[in-house]
Amino acid sequence: DARVTQTPRHKVTEMGQEVTMRCQPILGHNTVFWYRQTMMQGLELLAYFRNRAPLDDSGMPKDRFSAEMPDATLATLKIQPSEPRDSAVYFCASGLGANTEAFFGQGTRLTVV
Amino acid sequence: GEDVEQSLFLSVREGDSSVINCTYTDSSSTYLYWYKQEPGAGLQLLTYIFSNMDMKQDQRLTVLLNKKDKHLSLRIADTQTGDSAIYFCAEGGLTGGGNKLTFGTGTQLKVEL
């Protein structure tokens, strides 16, 4: 069945290391979102893409975060260097068209120690 | 900017009705959504309402929209223990051809026997 797939599901890393999170959107979806969820801030939109082009990444710390879509089947979110305050669950979601349901992946739980 | 607010917690007894409230600020929102998040999982769309509607009913779910007051509510009839989860309200608006969702903080619903 169609679903958004995120890898890895869990990641523990040391401060200063590079972290790459991957997302495979539902085939045919042309909009991809990256959200970060923490207890303190709730769900924050980091970036989103439409037809692989970044539309808004204003929610993302530019100095250490980068988001790309190398092709229509893969979206990546990279943190370099990682910091303990980046610890959160990162969700990818995909959708189709100007206004449709956003389908969420299971998330990547990142812990930076 | 957009802002969506919800109360943090709600506790109800099984069989009672639950009402989760949400206020938003962006009057240009086209759609308003309710998502459900179960522990360890991503968000799942429950229902949505178009901004020119006052009410939408879907089985045990009733969504009420007061556009003048920018107030959205979700009523769950005959609440069951399986309804225990975090419920997020979200507003969607067209930005640069894409649909950017802004989520509230989430309301933790606890259903007691």
Side-chain angles (χ1 to χ4, degrees), chain B residues 10 35-36 49 61 72 82 87 112:
Chain B
L10 177 65
Y35 279 80
K36 177 183 181 182
I49 188 168
L61 305 178
L72 183 74
Y87 290 80
E112 298 174 329

Side-chain angles (χ1 to χ4, degrees), chain B residues 2-113:
Chain B
E2 306 93 349
D3 193 20
V4 181
E5 294 188 355
Q6 303 175 235
S7 54
L8 291 180
F9 299 103
L10 177 65
S11 179
V12 299
R13 298 175 76 93
E14 189 178 39
D16 288 349
S17 292
S18 307
V19 179
I20 303 171
N21 294 300
C22 168
T23 57
Y24 61 97
T25 57
D26 188 353
S27 58
S28 67
S29 297
T30 309
Y31 288 87
L32 295 126
Y33 304 83
W34 284 103
Y35 279 80
K36 177 183 181 182
Q37 184 181 31
E38 294 181 348
L43 279 71
Q44 181 182 13
L45 181 69
L46 280 180
T47 187
Y48 65 92
I49 188 168
F50 189 48
S51 59
N52 70 353
M53 296 170 64
D54 298 325
M55 185 183 86
K56 180 178 179 181
Q57 187 150 3
D58 184 1
Q59 299 182 348
R60 292 191 297 123
L61 305 178
T62 303
V63 179
L64 295 177
L65 174 61
N66 181 329
K67 196 171 180 182
K68 173 175 169 289
D69 295 338
K70 299 189 184 68
H71 182 266
L72 183 74
S73 68
L74 173 69
R75 179 177 179 269
I76 306 173
D78 188 24
T79 312
Q80 302 298 306
T81 54
D83 296 323
S84 293
I86 302 175
Y87 290 80
F88 291 89
C89 125
E91 59 175 353
L94 296 176
T95 305
N99 182 28
K100 178 179 173 179
L101 290 176
T102 301
F103 285 86
T105 51
T107 299
Q108 172 99 49
L109 174 63
K110 182 179 177 183
V111 182
E112 298 174 329
L113 296 173

